[in-house]
Amino acid sequence: DTEVTQTPKHLVMGMTNKKSLKCEQHMGHRAMYWYKQKAKKPPELMFVYSYEKLSINESVPSRFSPECPNSSLLNLHLHALQPEDSALYLCASSQTPPEAESYEQYFGPGTRLTVT
Amino acid sequence: GENVEQHPSTLSVQEGDSAVIKCTYSDSASNYFPWYKQELGKGPQLIIDIRSNVGEKKDQRIAVTLNKTAKHFSLHITETQPEDSAVYFCAAASMNYGGATNKLIFGTGTLLAVQP
């Protein structure tokens, strides 16, 4: 099973709202990722968690707050977003190098976020 | 840092023909090269990958070739079918990056249309 699940599928929020995106995997992967993807563009890395600790923050604004409660779950808390933050938010997971047997990174279906 | 260029940006072929998508990378430390297929409204799906110690890899109608000297890698799809229509992304990563995680750098994507 190589499934990464994300909820909700769609989210519409106002600029003053607080919402959260959720991601789950049961592949035993200890690296989890958040990406942002705008239309007709490749995914852009936002955050990486390795063994439940934040290892990479690609200079993402503080209105995006990631959380990794355990090895299977990843959340992205959203607050005071701007209309330009509207995008597809993708979660992914992988084994962790250098001990990984597989380098494969698997993506979820994404959450389509619209900020009004 | 790593930069990945991808060509062409759009590709239209007749059903049954072959399709080739090419990528170049800049960082000689990159050693892992996956290809993703993204259908409309879905997350990227890993379809094939290659490591730098291998020159070619094939999986049914899909093959990937790597030329480390020229820093080129290519995706080859034979006997194309309408269901192959999607956006294809190449990516590159150095699995020694930070010693902790797999940071993918994506190409800009190729929209493949297979005409029945």
Side-chain angles (χ1 to χ4, degrees), chain A residues 12-49:
Chain A
V12 179
M13 60 185 292
M15 290 189 285
T16 58
N17 291 160
K18 286 185 180 181
K19 297 287 185 183
S20 297
L21 309 184
K22 298 186 183 301
C23 173
E24 190 167 4
Q25 58 88 15
H26 294 288
M27 293 178 276
H29 290 168
R30 300 307 293 275
M32 296 186 75
Y33 310 76
W34 280 115
Y35 289 84
K36 173 183 178 179
Q37 186 178 28
K38 301 284 271 186
K40 299 184 179 181
K41 297 290 187 182
E44 296 176 39
L45 184 66
M46 301 174 70
F47 303 103
V48 183
Y49 273 82

Side-chain angles (χ1 to χ4, degrees), chain A residues 7 14-15 20 26-27 32-33 41 51 57 63 71-72 74-77 79 85 87 90 95 97 101 106 116:
Chain A
T7 55
M15 290 189 285
S20 297
H26 294 288
M27 293 178 276
M32 296 186 75
Y33 310 76
K41 297 290 187 182
Y51 292 96
N57 176 342
R63 58 185 184 269
S71 59
S72 300
L74 186 67
N75 298 323
L76 186 63
H77 302 296
H79 174 56
D85 296 322
L90 295 161
Q95 293 187 11
E101 295 178 359
Y106 295 99
T116 60

Side-chain angles (χ1 to χ4, degrees), chain A residues 37 42 48 58 101 103 105, chain B residues 36 38 51 95 102-103 107:
Chain A
Q37 186 178 28
V48 183
E58 293 286 285
E101 295 178 359
Y103 293 170
Q105 192 170 133
Chain B
Y36 287 87
Q38 188 171 23
R51 301 192 189 190
M95 296 309 294
N102 172 355
K103 179 175 179 177

Side-chain angles (χ1 to χ4, degrees), chain A residues 2 6 9 16 18 20 27 33-37 39 52 56 59 62 72-73 80 83 86 89 93 95 101 107 112:
Chain A
T2 58
Q6 291 187 243
K9 285 186 168 45
T16 58
K18 286 185 180 181
S20 297
M27 293 178 276
Y33 310 76
W34 280 115
Y35 289 84
K36 173 183 178 179
Q37 186 178 28
E52 294 88 69
I56 297 176
S59 302
S62 59
S72 300
L73 294 174
S86 298
Y89 287 84
S93 72
Q95 293 187 11
E101 295 178 359
F107 284 80
R112 175 72 61 188

Side-chain angles (χ1 to χ4, degrees), chain B residues 82-105:
Chain B
E83 50 265 40
D84 294 329
S85 297
V87 177
Y88 290 80
F89 291 102
C90 64
S94 169
M95 296 309 294
N96 296 317
Y97 177 88
T101 52
N102 172 355
K103 179 175 179 177
L104 296 177
I105 306 299

